Amino acid sequence: MKLTDNVLRSFRVAKVFRENSDKINCFDFSSNGETIISSSDDDSLVLYDCQEGKPKRTLYSKKYGVDLIRYTHAANTVVYSSNKIDDTIRYLSLHDNKYIRYFPGHNKRVTSLSMSPVDDTFISGSLDKTIRLWDLRSPNCQGLMHLQGKPVCSFDPEGLIFAAGINSEMVKLYDLRSFDKGPFATFKLQYDRTCEWTGLKFSNDGKLILLSTNGGALRILDAFKGAVLHNFGGYNNSKGVTLEASFTPDSQFVMIGSEDGKIHVWNAESGMKVALLDGKHTGPITCLQFNPKFMTFASACSNMAFWLPTIDD
């Protein structure tokens, strides 16, 4: 089944889960699309089975809190940032609920965490104005970059380069093998003082970069030339909430939630809005991602919703 405008418009909430007492701050699909794990401000990690459509287990990180949760390539393991006590990144085995390793180094809140799509490398960006490069097998930071401002960062789909959005006004591209030589490309964007960048993502085809903000605007850039291809607005975000925006896996569409529980979808190429979906969320939709393998997506406030299409196009 192919994702088209009509199929997207037909999506409806199939299941709602009320496992959390506070907002879900992050979630991540496993690469095979079979499970999803969420982190919440109530200090819990909830693992869901996407095929059976039900929660499987709940773990807690009461002492350190949990945010920015990411699956690693190893089965049943995740990395996440702390939002209490310190800013150490933690590597957890879900199987026996034991920490495998800690990654200390940042001294302010971690705001970006991106796992390499190809190996055990990951990068983290923090309010301490640094980006750190890590390897899951070692607690020691493998590389450190001092920046002129707060970063958002992500690997590209090949895992060869990473992008850093700095101070909400420029995007720098680095080659992973020689990042210490500085960026090989820098794109300066017009600064928008009404909002800050809160997320950066590549499309799966590697051609586009999506910048999300804590305001009412999204941008898509050409990943090679840095030109702004589209500015998307018209969704509600008056309180400066960090709303996650995502590409669909085929790189054709961009979607974002809003503070009024609705999901807005645009065509990434034409810039046209193709769908407005009502998830009946009780709070702002802070997390939104399409399943990498199956025709379903998830959205979250303090509740988690699984969506399915209602037509076969």
Side-chain angles (χ1 to χ4, degrees), residues 99-126:
Y99 291 116
I100 303 167
R101 200 159 281 117
Y102 294 140
F103 303 96
H106 287 300
N107 54 33
K108 285 190 178 160
R109 189 165 63 87
V110 175
T111 51
S112 268
L113 199 55
S114 177
M115 197 72 216
S116 163
V118 293
D119 60 23
D120 283 338
T121 313
F122 67 98
I123 51 174
S124 56
S126 161

Side-chain angles (χ1 to χ4, degrees), residues 240-254:
V241 179
T242 296
L243 302 173
E244 182 179 24
S246 292
F247 286 103
T248 51
D250 60 7
S251 309
Q252 301 300 305
F253 301 96
V254 168

Side-chain angles (χ1 to χ4, degrees), residues 54-106:
K54 62 182 191 191
K56 278 175 40 170
R57 48 189 301 223
T58 301
L59 305 172
Y60 291 95
S61 179
K62 289 280 188 205
K63 185 175 177 187
Y64 304 108
V66 54
D67 200 350
L68 299 177
I69 196 154
R70 302 282 184 265
Y71 273 112
T72 71
H73 300 294
N76 274 330
T77 58
V78 291
V79 289
Y80 63 81
S81 65
S82 321
N83 53 19
K84 298 203 294 202
I85 295 192
D86 63 19
D87 302 287
T88 297
I89 296 163
R90 295 183 156 76
Y91 181 24
L92 178 72
S93 163
L94 300 174
H95 166 67
D96 49 8
N97 196 19
K98 287 198 165 62
Y99 291 116
I100 303 167
R101 200 159 281 117
Y102 294 140
F103 303 96
H106 287 300

Side-chain angles (χ1 to χ4, degrees), residues 119-156:
D119 60 23
D120 283 338
T121 313
F122 67 98
I123 51 174
S124 56
S126 161
L127 296 180
D128 64 15
K129 299 183 183 176
T130 66
I131 288 176
R132 288 176 179 264
L133 180 68
W134 310 89
D135 187 306
L136 283 175
R137 295 162 294 193
S138 162
N140 303 321
C141 176
Q142 307 293 301
L144 173 62
M145 294 161 53
H146 290 276
L147 306 162
Q148 259 60 65
K150 293 186 285 195
V152 286
C153 55
S154 177
F155 278 101
D156 80 320

Side-chain angles (χ1 to χ4, degrees), residues 181-202:
K181 294 189 174 66
F184 65 83
T186 299
F187 310 137
K188 194 143 177 31
L189 277 67
Q190 194 175 348
Y191 182 65
D192 178 356
R193 71 172 72 85
T194 64
C195 58
E196 291 186 347
W197 296 354
T198 52
L200 182 154
K201 291 183 182 181
F202 281 89

